């Protein structure tokens, strides 16, 4: 049993293969958090809490005499505003316009087989044969009929605990929620480090590690997307934790909108971690009988360092979060016309690119922005999801049929959440755009955001996407979203409910994505928000891959892929070979290197194939052959970071190993050149130590490759690269 309740000690103990997690209902019926860490037993860990009369630490209701007891320093499972806890709160809610105050005490609990579900929100699910249990702990306010149900999904063998909270108002008085986090986690001991993944457009998810200081450290987004700038994934670890050693705990929030992850080091050096929907511009009114359900958060802990932590998350996300029918299928090697033509294309030009693609052996052509409405630049047309036949010179069906005739599949770009003021849709429904009345709206890329908190807008989106998908043999969509959302206002919502619009937008988005997932299960959807502006675990419930960054430079992508790999499987990374000098930074890299780097994910091209030299075309054919031969490794192999591009300035190396250890590929990109260079070695990971592998005609044991490593060839030019495959002997 992964979850046990001990009625003598009133403790709930959760075991996964690599961790133990414990809570206790104390004498005051407060739910304390008593342990999370290396596998332990079911001892009552509340002995670790040291009661003391700390000055200025208040006593909760009903316990005024015991000055040694204060929720200001007791570790709690779900902290609330108004209970004498002055640290960051998980929940802040009040009634009738009064200051927020709640006092939650244990009410009941239930342990059951299987995983709870969160309708309308992304969530982990159990597959047949998975050992998964659910724990529900219900807390109730001391004064009002308010119930908070804490949900725990325990994937014992996957080393995953999921969490969410359901807040229900059963009383007559409307309740205003000002903040409702998905989880709260109190670490009693020691200073921790926080690893997070920060960045910018075209420079997402850069690894950033810091020691937590007194006070609150916050990462988050208030942009309406999970954002390029921060990511809803973080790791709390010890100072001495490395890739291969040490304690670490990952937190991933399954949410694609504005979020917050906060870590507070308190006065006694305990650390509290919370994450959930960003409370900036947030408020939610719960009338009698209504519920607010938080997004799901996922935690995972290991003693064995960051490689083990992300390896476990990769497997769990792949197996228990991604649902797409394309998850295990070979992803098409595609050519996308964006960097080849931008808005300047015709049907003939697309056919020319498709013909070149067919010669190289590609699987798909993706038609990017500019095919619909009157969109020849980024100032118009969003919302008018009907094809511009004048520009294509034919109908979409005719174009797609011709492309299919070349043996290529067809994919198309959409940005359904947006509206241009110069569009038929805006002329007909200006009230569907989010604009604060009487103010000139803040625009991003000269576009406005559709009000997805309105059901009629959601229905319009579903219908326009259905019509598009039914109009031709479309087998892939790239779902883009190209602005940070400000001036959030719904013309349909009463003044008092405007604080709910940001979150309702995301619920509306998920509703449309779920509709497509259900109605068109065979369509491969690639997520995108100006590249990786919405790269989060929530999205992966609906799409199996995401355009990782608008930055297609192979060298900058090394850092972006490195950071992304901590929280997300590499099969979710979409990466393309583009032209040089690179359009984003002007860098020139060898064609071969661009290929090796793009093969870190779902592979493709994004350039005018007709302009390739004969030599490059031959290289492209080789790349396609390599990807086709080893796609199982790239999509479903265990991914290992072998060096960090943040620390090693000479080269970056990574590897994929088949889960059964039968085959592995190692890739290296050199990032600096030296006269009279020192020999470069790299140690492989994840092989079977006592098995024999053949590598470039030579035989090695797995142990030799992992402990001794291999000698890398000398780079021959700037940004040279190297890829080598190791096959298990006699397989
Ligand atoms: C941003 C995307 O990330 C690009 O790949 C491209 O699709 C453009 N939008 C099109 O507007």
């Amino acid at each position: 049993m992964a979850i046990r309740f001990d009625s003598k000690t009133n403790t709930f103990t959760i075991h996964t293969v690599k961790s133990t997690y414990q809570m206790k209902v104390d004498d005051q019926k407060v739910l304390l958090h008593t342990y999370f860490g290396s596998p332990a037993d079911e001892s009552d860990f509340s002995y670790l809490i040291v009661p003391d009369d700390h000055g200025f630490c208040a006593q909760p209701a009903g316990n005024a005499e015991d000055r040694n007891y204060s929720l200001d320093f007791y570790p709690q499972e779900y902290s609330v505003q108004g209970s004498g806890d002055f640290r960051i709160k998980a929940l802040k809610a009040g009634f009738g316009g009064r200051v927020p105050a709640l006092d939650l005490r244990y009410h009941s609990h239930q342990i059951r087989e299987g995983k709870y579900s969160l309708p309308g929100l992304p969530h982990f699910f159990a597959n047949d044969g998975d050992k998964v249990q659910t724990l529900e702990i219900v807390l109730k306010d001391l004064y009002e009929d308010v119930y908070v149900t804490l949900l725990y999904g325990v994937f014992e063998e996957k080393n995953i605990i999921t969490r969410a909270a359901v807040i229900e108002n059963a009383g007559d008085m409307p309740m205003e929620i000002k903040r409702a986090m998905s989880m709260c986690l109190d670490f009693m001991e020691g200073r921790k480090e926080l690893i997070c993944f920060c960045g910018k457009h075209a420079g997402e998810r850069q690894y950033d590690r810091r020691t937590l200081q007194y006070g609150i450290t916050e990462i988050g987004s208030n942009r309406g997307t999970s954002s390029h700038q921060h990511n809803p994934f973080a790791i709390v670890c010890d100072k001495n934790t490395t890739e291969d050693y040490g304690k670490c705990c990952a937190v991933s929030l399954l949410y694609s909108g504005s979020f917050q992850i906060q870590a507070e080091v308190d006065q006694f050096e305990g650390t509290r971690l919370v994450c959930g929907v960003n409370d900036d511009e947030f408020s939610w009114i719960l009338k009698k009988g209504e519920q607010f359900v938080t997004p799901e958060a996922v935690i995972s802990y290991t003693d064995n360092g960051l490689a083990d932590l992300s390896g476990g998350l990769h497997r769990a996300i792949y197996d228990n979060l991604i649902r797409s029918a394309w998850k295990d299928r070979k992803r098409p090697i595609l050519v996308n016309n964006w960097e080849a033509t931008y808005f300047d294309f015709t049907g003939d030009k697309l056919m020319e690119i498709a013909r070149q693609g067919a010669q190289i052996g590609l699987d798909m052509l993706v038609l990017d922005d500019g095919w619909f409405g009157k969109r020849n630049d980024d100032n118009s047309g969003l919302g008018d999801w009907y094809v511009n036949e004048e520009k294509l010179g034919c109908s979409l069906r005719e174009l797609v049929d011709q492309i299919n005739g070349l043996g290529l599949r067809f994919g198309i770009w959409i940005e359904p959440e947006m509206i241009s003021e110069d569009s038929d849709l805006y002329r007909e429904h200006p009230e569907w755009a989010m604009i604060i009345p009487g103010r000139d709206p803040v625009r991003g890329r000269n576009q406005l955001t559709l009000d997805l908190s309105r059901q009629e807008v959601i229905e319009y989106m579903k219908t326009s996407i259905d019509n598009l998908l039914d109009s031709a043999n479309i087998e892939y969509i790239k779902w883009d979203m190209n602005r940070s959302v400000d001036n959030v206002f719904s013309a349909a919502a009463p003044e008092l409910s405007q604080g709910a619009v940001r979150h309702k937008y995301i619920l509306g988005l998920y509703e449309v994505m779920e509709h497509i997932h259900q109605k068109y299960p065979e369509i491969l959807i690639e997520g995108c928000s100006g590249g990786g502006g919405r790269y989060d675990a929530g999205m992966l419930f609906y799409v199996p891959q995401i355009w990782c960054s608008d930055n297609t430079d192979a060298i900058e992508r090394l850092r972006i892929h490195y950071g992304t790999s901590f929280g997300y499987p590499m099969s979710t990374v979409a990466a393309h070979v583009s032209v040089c000098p690179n359009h984003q930074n002007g860098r020139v890299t060898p064609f071969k290197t661009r290929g090796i780097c793009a093969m870190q994910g779902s592979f493709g091209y994004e350039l005018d194939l007709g302009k390739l030299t004969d030599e490059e075309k031959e290289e492209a054919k080789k790349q396609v052959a390599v990807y086709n031969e080893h796609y199982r490794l790239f999509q479903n192999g265990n991914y290992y970071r072998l060096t960090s591009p943040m620390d090693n300035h000479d080269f970056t190396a990574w590897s994929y190993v088949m889960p059964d250890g039968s085959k592995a590929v190692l890739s290296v990109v050199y990032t600096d050149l030296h006269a009279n260079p020192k020999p470069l070695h790299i140690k492989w990971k994840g092989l079977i130590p006592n098995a024999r592998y053949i590598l470039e005609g030579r035989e090695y044991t797995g142990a030799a490759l992992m402990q001794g490593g291999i000698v890398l060839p000398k780079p021959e030019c700037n940004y040279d690269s190297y890829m080598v495959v190791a096959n298990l002997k006699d397989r």
Side-chain angles (χ1 to χ4, degrees):
M1 285 270 283
I3 305 170
R4 291 191 203 224
F5 177 66
D6 181 336
S7 54
K8 286 198 205 84
T9 56
N10 279 334
T11 51
F12 298 94
T13 307
I14 295 173
H15 297 291
T16 72
V17 282
K18 292 180 183 172
S19 67
T20 295
Y21 187 107
Q22 194 186 72
M23 295 161 268
K24 178 184 172 81
V25 180
D26 74 3
D27 296 345
Q28 303 298 316
K29 297 211 167 212
V30 168
L31 186 65
L32 302 176
H33 174 82
T34 46
Y35 182 82
F36 184 36
S38 310
D41 58 19
E42 278 138 46
S43 307
D44 175 355
F45 286 99
S46 63
Y47 70 84
L48 294 169
I49 302 170
V50 184
D52 204 351
D53 183 358
H54 293 298
F56 288 84
C57 287
Q59 277 65 57
N63 202 25
E65 281 83 52
D66 185 0
R67 295 199 187 180
N68 291 334
Y69 182 100
S70 171
L71 298 183
D72 208 7
F73 66 90
Y74 270 47
Q76 289 168 76
E77 194 56 20
Y78 200 67
S79 60
V80 291
Q81 172 96 0
S83 63
D85 181 354
F86 293 88
R87 296 168 288 176
I88 39 178
K89 318 294 181 301
L91 181 62
K92 229 172 155 177
F95 302 85
R98 289 185 225 134
V99 291
L102 287 172
D103 193 335
L104 297 180
R105 307 290 169 111
Y106 171 82
H107 176 267
S108 58
H109 78 268
Q110 207 190 88
I111 297 171
R112 56 174 194 269
E113 293 306 310
K115 165 72 176 31
Y116 66 84
S117 156
L118 292 179
L121 281 165
H123 54 271
F124 272 58
F125 54 84
N127 295 304
D128 287 350
D130 283 346
K131 275 195 185 166
V132 184
Q133 286 189 315
T134 289
L135 167 63
E136 264 186 39
I137 305 179
V138 183
L139 309 174
K140 184 186 171 301
D141 183 49
L142 269 187
Y143 305 94
E144 306 291 343
D145 269 347
V146 167
Y147 296 86
V148 175
T149 304
L150 302 181
L151 294 168
Y152 300 81
V154 183
F155 291 72
E156 187 180 349
E157 284 159 346
K158 294 278 170 56
N159 191 30
I160 291 283
I161 301 174
T162 67
R163 291 188 56 176
V166 179
I167 299 139
E168 185 181 344
N169 183 8
D172 292 327
M173 226 191 313
M175 170 184 183
E176 188 189 1
I177 303 176
K178 292 190 174 284
R179 171 183 172 89
M181 294 287 120
S182 299
M183 56 153 254
C184 169
L185 194 53
D186 280 354
F187 298 92
M188 278 187 256
E189 86 293 351
R191 283 294 177 98
K192 304 275 173 199
E193 303 216 329
L194 180 74
I195 304 176
C196 47
F197 302 89
C198 315
K200 58 184 176 182
H201 174 240
E204 299 88 339
R205 292 173 298 286
Q206 307 286 307
Y207 176 95
D208 182 70
R209 184 167 176 163
R210 55 186 98 164
T211 304
L212 289 170
Q213 307 292 348
Y214 275 117
I216 299 173
T217 301
E218 174 170 337
I219 55 166
S221 158
N222 55 4
R223 295 166 180 271
T225 57
S226 44
S227 88
H228 303 85
Q229 288 73 12
H230 293 282
N231 194 266
F233 171 76
I235 297 169
V236 175
C237 63
D238 286 351
K239 239 188 185 76
N240 59 0
T241 299
T242 64
E243 275 287 297
D244 302 309
Y245 171 84
K247 300 177 190 233
C248 42
C249 165
V251 175
S252 188
L253 182 68
L254 278 64
Y255 194 58
S256 310
S258 302
F259 75 95
Q260 259 171 327
I261 298 181
Q262 294 173 312
E264 178 172 7
V265 179
D266 68 29
Q267 55 185 328
F268 305 114
E269 295 205 23
T271 299
R272 171 170 290 173
L273 187 74
V274 299
C275 77
V277 173
N278 197 323
D279 64 7
D280 189 22
E281 292 185 18
F282 174 85
S283 72
W284 195 281
I285 310 288
L286 275 191
K287 295 203 214 87
K288 187 174 176 142
E290 289 180 347
Q291 289 186 337
F292 180 83
V293 183
T294 70
E296 185 163 276
V298 165
I299 51 180
S300 183
Y301 170 94
T302 177
D303 272 349
N304 304 323
L306 302 170
D308 187 46
L309 189 71
S310 36
L313 276 168
H314 289 179
R315 196 48 56 203
I317 289 175
Y318 192 87
D319 292 345
N320 301 96
L321 179 63
I322 299 176
R323 299 177 297 168
S324 167
W326 281 89
K327 160 158 97 171
D328 293 321
R329 293 187 194 159
K330 181 183 164 286
R331 309 282 167 86
I333 307 181
L334 57 85
V335 55
N336 176 306
N337 75 308
W338 180 241
E339 286 199 20
T341 64
Y342 296 102
F343 291 102
D344 187 14
F345 58 84
T346 59
D348 287 345
K349 180 69 196 173
L350 296 170
M351 283 308 296
E352 185 193 314
I353 296 176
R355 267 189 290 275
Q356 297 285 343
Q359 278 171 23
I360 290 168
L362 305 188
D363 303 312
M364 178 180 273
L365 175 110
V366 174
L367 172 53
D368 211 281
D369 195 354
W371 58 268
F372 53 92
K374 292 189 187 63
R375 186 156 166 100
N376 290 313
D377 58 31
D378 56 13
N379 290 306
S380 62
L382 293 170
D384 299 343
W385 299 109
Y386 37 84
V387 69
N388 183 342
E389 294 193 358
E390 208 184 312
K391 187 166 178 176
L392 293 187
C394 59
S395 69
L396 189 61
R397 184 183 293 268
E398 283 162 341
L399 178 77
V400 176
D401 287 349
Q402 286 179 58
I403 287 168
N404 288 167
L406 295 171
L408 293 193
R409 296 166 182 261
F410 177 80
I412 201 159
W413 177 98
I414 51 173
E415 191 181 2
E417 297 154 70
M418 293 293 142
I419 180 165
S420 305
E421 285 153 280
D422 183 3
S423 68
D424 293 343
L425 182 65
Y426 187 78
R427 283 181 279 275
E428 201 180 325
H429 282 298
E431 78 286 5
W432 284 6
M434 294 213 272
I435 300 175
I436 300 178
R439 290 179 173 268
D440 189 27
V442 171
R443 297 173 181 85
R445 211 190 190 198
N446 202 12
Q447 62 199 43
L448 300 174
T449 312
L450 276 174
D451 178 3
L452 272 175
S453 71
R454 298 175 71 144
Q455 196 59 39
E456 64 268 52
V457 178
I458 292 173
E459 297 309 326
Y460 171 80
M461 258 170 75
K462 288 182 191 167
T463 309
S464 46
I465 298 172
D466 287 358
N467 290 343
L468 172 66
L469 295 179
D470 294 342
S471 73
N473 185 24
I474 296 171
E475 297 184 76
Y476 158 114
I477 46 182
K478 175 176 172 188
W479 183 306
D480 206 350
M481 194 290 195
N482 279 302
R483 63 162 296 187
S484 300
V485 185
D486 205 345
N487 290 189
V488 173
F489 184 89
S490 173
E495 283 308 314
L496 266 176
S497 304
Q498 293 297 330
V501 175
R502 274 187 184 275
H503 180 58
K504 282 192 172 163
Y505 176 99
I506 297 297
L507 297 180
L509 171 68
Y510 288 153
E511 183 180 330
V512 181
M513 299 196 91
E514 184 63 28
H515 164 82
I516 298 172
H517 173 77
Q518 297 295 343
K519 186 161 180 193
Y520 301 97
E522 292 299 310
I523 289 194
L524 171 59
I525 310 176
E526 177 165 299
C528 175
S529 173
R534 205 158 56 184
Y535 210 119
D536 52 72
M539 260 304 131
L540 296 178
F541 192 58
Y542 306 96
V543 308
Q545 61 187 55
I546 298 176
W547 181 227
C548 193
S549 177
D550 271 351
N551 190 338
T552 57
D553 170 51
I555 306 308
E556 289 211 80
R557 275 286 187 122
L558 294 175
R559 285 179 172 216
I560 297 170
H561 291 177
Y562 175 78
T564 305
S565 76
F566 282 84
Y568 307 100
M570 294 310 279
S571 63
T572 66
V573 169
H576 299 164
V577 173
S578 65
V579 78
C580 275
N582 178 268
H583 285 191
Q584 288 80 43
N585 64 10
R587 195 195 317 258
V588 176
T589 51
F591 198 82
K592 172 175 124 190
T593 299
R594 283 175 262 159
I596 287 182
C597 189
M599 277 185 226
Q600 250 183 109
S602 293
F603 183 55
Y605 293 83
E606 182 146 344
L607 40 70
D608 189 343
L609 295 170
K611 292 190 180 147
L612 293 183
T613 63
D614 289 344
E615 205 185 323
E616 285 171 333
K617 278 186 193 153
E618 283 316 303
E619 184 64 42
K621 283 184 192 161
K622 274 194 222 153
Q623 290 170 348
V624 169
V626 169
Y627 193 81
N628 283 338
E629 186 181 349
H630 302 301
Y631 79 91
R632 284 200 185 283
L633 266 175
F634 300 126
Q635 279 182 215
N636 199 18
N638 295 333
Y639 180 81
Y640 293 93
R641 300 174 289 267
L642 300 182
T643 65
S644 160
M646 319 309 272
D647 300 334
N648 184 334
H649 300 290
D650 287 339
F651 64 92
T652 299
W654 62 94
S655 166
Y656 292 89
V657 183
M658 283 308 276
D660 65 0
S662 60
K663 181 159 125 177
V665 61
L666 178 133
S667 304
V668 179
V669 173
Y670 300 91
T671 45
D672 205 356
L673 292 175
H674 300 282
N676 191 15
K678 65 180 180 197
L680 299 176
H681 300 98
I682 188 77
K683 291 178 179 156
W684 219 309
K685 285 186 182 170
L687 304 176
I688 305 168
N690 56 3
R692 306 194 79 80
Y693 289 89
I694 308 290
L695 190 150
E696 291 179 334
R698 237 189 103 167
E699 195 174 309
Y700 302 82
T701 60
L705 292 172
M706 292 193 291
Q707 307 308 337
I710 61 167
V711 181
L712 294 179
K714 276 189 204 172
E716 288 174 2
C717 63
N718 216 4
Y719 305 121
D720 202 359
S721 53
Y722 171 65
M723 185 187 259
V724 67
V725 178
N727 280 300
L728 199 62
K729 200 181 167 194
D730 304 328
R731 277 249 174 149

